[in-house]
Amino acid sequence: MADNGFRWQGGFPKIGIRPTIDGRRKGVRESLEDQTMNMAIGVAKLLSDNLRYPNGAPVEVVIADSCIGGVAESAAAASKFAKEGVGVSITVTPCWCYGTETMDMDPAIPKAVWGFNGTERPGAVYLAAVLSAYAQKGLPAFGIYGEDVQDAGTTDIPEDVKGKLLGFAKAGLAVAYMRGKSYLSMGSVSMGIAGSIVNDAFFQEYLGIRTEYVDMTEFVRRMDEGIYDPAEYEKALAWVKENCKEGPDNNPASIQTSRERKNKDWETVVKMTMIARDLMIGNPRLAELDFGEEAMGHNAIVSGFQGQRQWTDHFPNGDFMEAILNSSFDWNGIRAPFMVATENDSLNGAVMLFGNLLTNTAQIFADVRTYWSPASVERVTGHKLTGAAENGLLHLINSGPATLDGTGEQTKDGKPAMKPFWEITQEEAQKCLDATSWRPASVEYFRGGGYSSDFLTRGGMPMTMSRLNLVKGVGPVLQIAEGYSVELPEHVHDTLDKRTDSTWPTTWFAPILTGEGSFKSVYEVMDNWGANHGSISFGHIGGDLITLASMLRIPVCMHNVPNDRVFRPRAWGLFGTQDQESADYRACDNFGPLYK
């Protein structure tokens, strides 16, 4: 199945640019028309040149037909934006404008205002006035104001303004694209994990996402009744035999499964992978096979598979399915990764989605398994940790569903990386596959068999670990930890890895410490993490996650992002400027979920 056409059938939200202007005619407005519209054109070019949709296409930008000097032109712009599918708005101006007459009043659209820092006209005065109006009306907006004074008529966008425009737009597009999509729960609650209690109110009120549910018996029905593309299945199985090398079986000889059973498991997990994808996004090929209802899918932008234990006590586990879907390539070639949460941990699935929409890259799902102190590592292995790992490590490891992109076998500027699918070469995809061993599942855990992916993430990659938690009486809260992947000497890794299940993929992660609070030490990071799982993104994207969270009214309870990279709506400062964490909680509580 080539999913590029069908998968994105709903299209993507556009960014609307609103050039606002002083409405006074007979001299004032006329003198500003060109400068104001040129600001809009410059911002549109910046965004379309630098941002891409999940399918790799450049972001589309719509500019209002005229400068907006009053209510009538504001309404005309809103009408155009609605017809064009605009989901994010940016207002730009070099001058004074009539605030409440020219502002964007749509409560569901993330909005920002860039007020030009120049001495000839008071763009900064309008910026302050309209932002106060947004706060007064309960419509939080982001304020963008360059640090340095610019000359009148310049078309240059300062670097600090570019950063805020791009950061806001990335987060705004994520908000707009999520709206109206689905979380698909494949199964129910896994082993009492609270995150797999799919909270309908959270997804609906905070993300604008509906929740869809199918029982895991749907996989059995589709396998038994042949509700999958048989031609693709044969292609997939041949690809797996060629590219997915099977590793040693660590099970005691007395409980190892037969070669015949192992071969049968490969057939089953390939079918599971196809079925999960078809459940998420549909498959037009199924309609050709007379399965019209199944061909439609669930419009799912993210999903979760329960697996344990009702499925895995009898059938092969979901590790292969999750690992391949979460990767940027399969038997159909290089393509955008899917977001599939292990153990149906919907809250980890949500932050995987956040990271994916902000970066267009695959996301690593992992247990936040163990804190290894420098003293413990030295005691067990004789090795003294140095460099990024000198203060200790977190062992991120889970039962096989981590994206194969997480091997770090892709490169950027000669360094290990995880890239958007359109930048990945066939050679890099093959290296990720070659670095992965598929280990027969631990039968004591997974009585039904299956295969777990086993790899070791390359060191030196900037990474961001995040997690959403639900707190009764508060709602969702977000945790963020920026850091780096670390490579250990082979004997050190082997010694530490063999103390847990060595058939699973490992990422050694060293969070950046600030010396304060939850980031006083690596131990404090582990001790304050809110759940057993985390989502790991390539790059230091904590600032973008904070911007996105503020749009959704989700407070951030823990992060190590420097203040100069924290960008929230201007109204957040009205809840206090000394303690930004407390102010964030009060602002999110005051304005409430975006869609409630």
Side-chain angles (χ1 to χ4, degrees), residues 572-594:
W572 263 235
L574 303 177
F575 292 85
T577 57
Q578 295 301 311
D579 185 346
Q580 290 189 25
E581 188 171 290
S582 295
D584 183 29
Y585 269 79
R586 289 192 295 273
C588 289
D589 180 60
N590 179 73
F591 292 115
L594 184 58

Side-chain angles (χ1 to χ4, degrees), residues 418-583:
M418 295 169 63
K419 302 192 295 190
F421 78 91
W422 57 84
E423 295 180 8
I424 300 171
T425 66
Q426 291 288 350
E427 181 184 11
E428 288 173 324
Q430 191 62 51
K431 284 182 177 179
C432 293
L433 287 161
D434 293 343
T436 305
S437 172
W438 297 93
R439 309 291 294 275
S442 173
V443 179
E444 291 177 342
Y445 283 151
F446 304 114
R447 299 174 188 171
Y451 293 92
S452 296
S453 58
D454 181 24
F455 64 74
L456 176 61
T457 300
R458 293 185 63 186
M461 291 196 290
M463 302 186 111
T464 303
M465 184 168 72
S466 59
R467 171 71 195 187
L468 266 173
N469 298 285
L470 286 178
V471 182
K472 187 172 178 63
V474 177
V477 296
L478 180 64
Q479 296 177 297
I480 300 167
E482 295 185 338
Y484 292 91
S485 63
V486 171
E487 279 188 35
L488 298 175
E490 186 175 356
H491 77 279
V492 177
H493 164 73
D494 285 345
T495 300
L496 303 182
D497 195 43
K498 287 175 181 176
R499 292 173 69 103
T500 182
D501 194 315
S502 59
T503 68
W504 297 341
T506 281
T507 302
W508 294 107
F509 178 67
I512 297 169
L513 303 180
T514 65
E516 298 178 348
S518 300
F519 292 92
K520 187 175 182 180
S521 67
V522 179
Y523 171 79
E524 291 290 341
V525 175
M526 178 75 177
D527 198 39
N528 283 281
W529 204 248
N532 54 312
H533 293 149
S535 174
I536 300 88
S537 301
F538 175 76
H540 288 158
I541 65 164
D544 291 333
L545 284 167
I546 290 172
T547 298
L548 174 59
S550 67
M551 291 179 181
L552 299 170
R553 322 286 196 260
I554 297 174
V556 179
C557 63
M558 170 182 168
H559 76 83
N560 58 347
V561 180
N563 283 338
D564 62 357
R565 288 173 45 217
V566 174
F567 189 35
R568 292 184 170 113
R570 183 66 63 84
W572 263 235
L574 303 177
F575 292 85
T577 57
Q578 295 301 311
D579 185 346
Q580 290 189 25
E581 188 171 290
S582 295

Side-chain angles (χ1 to χ4, degrees), residues 191-449:
M191 300 187 297
I193 295 173
S196 61
I197 303 172
V198 182
N199 189 295
D200 182 79
F202 161 68
F203 280 97
Q204 175 185 323
E205 295 174 7
Y206 283 89
L207 309 184
I209 290 177
R210 74 172 69 206
T211 46
E212 291 278 288
Y213 306 86
V214 296
D215 192 272
M216 289 183 293
T217 56
E218 178 64 6
F219 283 79
V220 180
R221 184 181 80 90
R222 293 195 181 206
M223 285 189 284
D224 287 352
E225 298 183 19
I227 308 175
Y228 55 86
D229 183 350
E232 185 187 4
Y233 167 68
E234 294 299 332
K235 175 183 178 182
L237 193 60
W239 180 88
V240 166
K241 289 178 179 178
E242 183 178 350
N243 293 284
C244 298
K245 62 184 179 184
E246 190 174 315
D249 190 336
N250 277 20
N251 291 289
S254 61
I255 61 173
Q256 288 185 11
T257 57
S258 67
R259 183 67 258 169
E260 182 182 10
R261 171 67 184 275
K262 287 184 171 72
N263 291 342
K264 187 68 176 176
D265 284 354
W266 275 119
E267 295 173 3
T268 301
V269 298
V270 168
K271 291 175 184 176
M272 289 169 62
T273 306
M274 294 169 53
I275 289 168
R277 180 207 60 203
D278 292 351
L279 282 166
M280 287 183 69
I281 65 168
N283 186 345
R285 179 78 177 107
L286 297 182
E288 297 172 9
L289 298 170
D290 201 28
F291 299 112
E293 181 181 359
E294 291 85 351
M296 300 300 292
H298 289 266
N299 194 34
I301 193 173
V302 58
S303 69
F305 181 71
Q306 174 193 338
Q308 299 183 73
R309 285 184 43 209
Q310 286 83 345
W311 180 269
T312 57
D313 278 1
H314 185 65
F315 292 102
N317 64 23
D319 289 4
F320 177 84
M321 172 187 75
E322 293 156 0
I324 292 296
L325 288 176
N326 281 325
S327 299
S328 300
F329 41 84
D330 61 16
W331 44 84
N332 289 315
I334 296 171
R335 46 99 176 122
F338 293 85
M339 297 297 110
V340 185
T342 300
E343 294 160 353
N344 201 25
D345 186 345
S346 60
L347 296 178
N348 218 53
V351 284
M352 289 172 72
L353 178 60
F354 292 174
N356 170 252
L357 292 178
L358 290 170
T359 66
N360 288 319
T361 60
Q363 306 294 298
I364 298 174
F365 183 111
D367 275 358
V368 185
R369 180 65 65 103
T370 309
Y371 162 64
W372 277 99
S373 68
S376 295
V377 172
E378 191 165 6
R379 176 181 64 82
V380 171
T381 69
H383 176 73
K384 186 176 180 63
L385 294 174
T386 58
E390 66 177 345
N391 296 303
L393 290 165
L394 298 181
H395 193 181
L396 307 181
I397 180 173
N398 199 50
S399 58
T403 170
L404 272 58
D405 299 54
T407 58
E409 294 296 332
Q410 301 160 23
T411 57
K412 200 166 192 173
D413 300 323
K415 299 177 181 178
M418 295 169 63
K419 302 192 295 190
F421 78 91
W422 57 84
E423 295 180 8
I424 300 171
T425 66
Q426 291 288 350
E427 181 184 11
E428 288 173 324
Q430 191 62 51
K431 284 182 177 179
C432 293
L433 287 161
D434 293 343
T436 305
S437 172
W438 297 93
R439 309 291 294 275
S442 173
V443 179
E444 291 177 342
Y445 283 151
F446 304 114
R447 299 174 188 171

